Amino acid sequence: MRRVGVGYRAELADWIQSQSSGMDCLEITAEHFFGADHKLLNRLAEQFELYVHGLGLSLGTPGPLDKKILKQFAKVADAANAKWISEHVAFTKTSEVDLGHLNPVPSTREFLEILVEHAQELADFCKRPLIMENITFDLKMHGELGEPDFLNQLCDKANCGLLLDVTNLFINSKNHRFSAMEWLREIQPSYIRQLHIVGYSLADGSYRDHHGAKIQPDLLDLLGAVLDYAPVEAVILERDARLHEFDEIADEISTLQRVATA
């Protein structure tokens, strides 16, 4: 059964509790609940299947993971009774500075081993399956491996899965001029467990993800191709702007449900 849901945001709380679109899963951003009362997560876990998504562990940074963040992450995953947890194929900080955003790692064997080690540590610490998300990038970081090969080897060596962000794949394919379908066919389909999707913006020939835009038809076409290709278990709509457009969000969820069950 493929589930369709949305990334949980406080602004959506009342709508999520009252809506009747049949949405049956939610993605929880771990950092939004660090140090918070976890009773809300306990209640949500009684109603929905929950997945916990991290932003700041910086798995691509050499050296040890931040144990304080790791412990907080695990507490959120436990409170949510998360079916799986996820983080990014990226780094957000160096040993000296927090960059505050996701940055690509070079597709080298050295960085592959760093990510494998950190992914295994995160999964083992949380005692839950881990899936890793592809990101967008302005600067393409080259290495011995192509991106699909890098991701396949990461999933294989770390015994993790892939959170395929359909919009990120689409945007990268446009900005860096490669075929999204050829890229997809190089990924081992069994690794793809969850999808993200959100609308994009286009300005001066450059594509960007836009967490308040409606999903465009070409994104839905790519989504359908991924669903035909891989045994995806869940599709999550990401939304961080225009959060009070409840009717529009409900329509987006309904559209995703139609595509997911086609």
Side-chain angles (χ1 to χ4, degrees):
M1 173 185 174
R2 282 178 175 153
R3 298 177 184 271
V4 174
V6 69
Y8 181 87
R9 302 292 182 266
E11 295 88 342
L12 297 176
D14 290 341
W15 174 77
I16 286 171
Q17 293 295 331
S18 64
Q19 59 87 32
S20 57
S21 67
M23 189 170 64
D24 50 13
C25 64
L26 297 172
E27 184 178 75
I28 302 298
T29 300
E31 286 80 0
H32 292 177
F33 287 87
F34 282 2
D37 184 342
H38 290 162
K39 291 180 181 177
L40 172 60
L41 291 176
N42 299 152
R43 291 196 299 272
L44 289 173
E46 293 174 355
Q47 299 174 264
F48 303 96
E49 185 168 276
L50 301 184
Y51 323 118
V52 170
H53 187 52
L55 300 172
L57 275 167
S58 196
L59 301 187
T61 300
L65 294 179
D66 187 314
K67 289 298 191 289
K68 182 178 179 181
I69 296 177
L70 195 58
K71 289 177 182 178
Q72 290 175 313
F73 190 109
K75 287 180 180 179
V76 173
D78 287 343
N81 191 26
K83 183 172 183 180
W84 57 67
I85 56 175
S86 59
E87 249 287 358
H88 298 83
V89 182
F91 72 97
T92 60
K93 56 190 174 185
T94 70
S95 59
E96 298 175 345
V97 63
D98 189 337
L99 299 169
H101 58 87
L102 299 167
N103 303 276
V105 298
S107 55
T108 64
R109 299 188 188 283
E110 178 184 2
F111 273 91
L112 175 62
E113 292 308 313
I114 290 168
L115 279 163
V116 167
E117 180 181 349
H118 287 162
Q120 289 174 327
E121 182 179 357
L122 175 57
D124 290 345
F125 194 88
C126 293
K127 297 181 175 60
R128 296 178 189 279
L130 170 68
I131 56 177
M132 296 288 290
E133 181 180 4
N134 59 305
I135 70 167
T136 58
F137 43 81
D138 292 323
L139 177 64
K140 192 169 185 178
M141 304 290 281
H142 294 283
E144 305 100 298
L145 306 171
E147 188 182 19
D149 190 17
F150 188 89
L151 295 175
N152 283 334
Q153 291 200 41
L154 172 61
C155 291
D156 178 53
K157 293 175 181 292
N159 193 30
C160 66
L162 184 62
L163 194 178
L164 177 57
D165 190 308
V166 174
T167 305
N168 288 352
L169 170 57
F170 178 89
I171 287 171
N172 285 340
S173 74
K174 293 296 185 182
N175 290 341
H176 299 285
R177 302 177 185 236
F178 65 85
S179 166
M181 287 303 302
E182 289 181 8
W183 186 101
L184 176 64
R185 284 191 289 266
E186 292 183 42
I187 296 289
Q188 173 63 37
S190 62
Y191 291 145
I192 305 173
R193 298 192 65 181
Q194 182 190 326
L195 306 180
H196 276 171
I197 191 165
V198 66
Y200 62 79
S201 63
L202 176 60
D204 300 322
S206 181
Y207 289 76
R208 294 285 183 270
D209 58 348
H210 188 300
H211 284 205
K214 290 189 68 174
I215 301 169
Q216 290 88 346
D218 43 11
L219 278 176
L220 291 174
D221 290 342
L222 182 56
L223 173 70
V226 176
L227 292 170
D228 287 342
Y229 179 72
V232 174
E233 297 177 51
V235 180
I236 292 292
L237 171 67
E238 294 192 286
R239 191 79 175 230
D240 291 295
R242 299 175 60 241
L243 287 168
H244 292 94
E245 298 288 344
F246 302 127
D247 289 344
E248 181 177 288
I249 296 171
D251 286 344
E252 296 267 82
I253 293 292
S254 296
T255 298
L256 293 177
Q257 288 173 330
R258 288 196 299 272
V259 175
T261 57

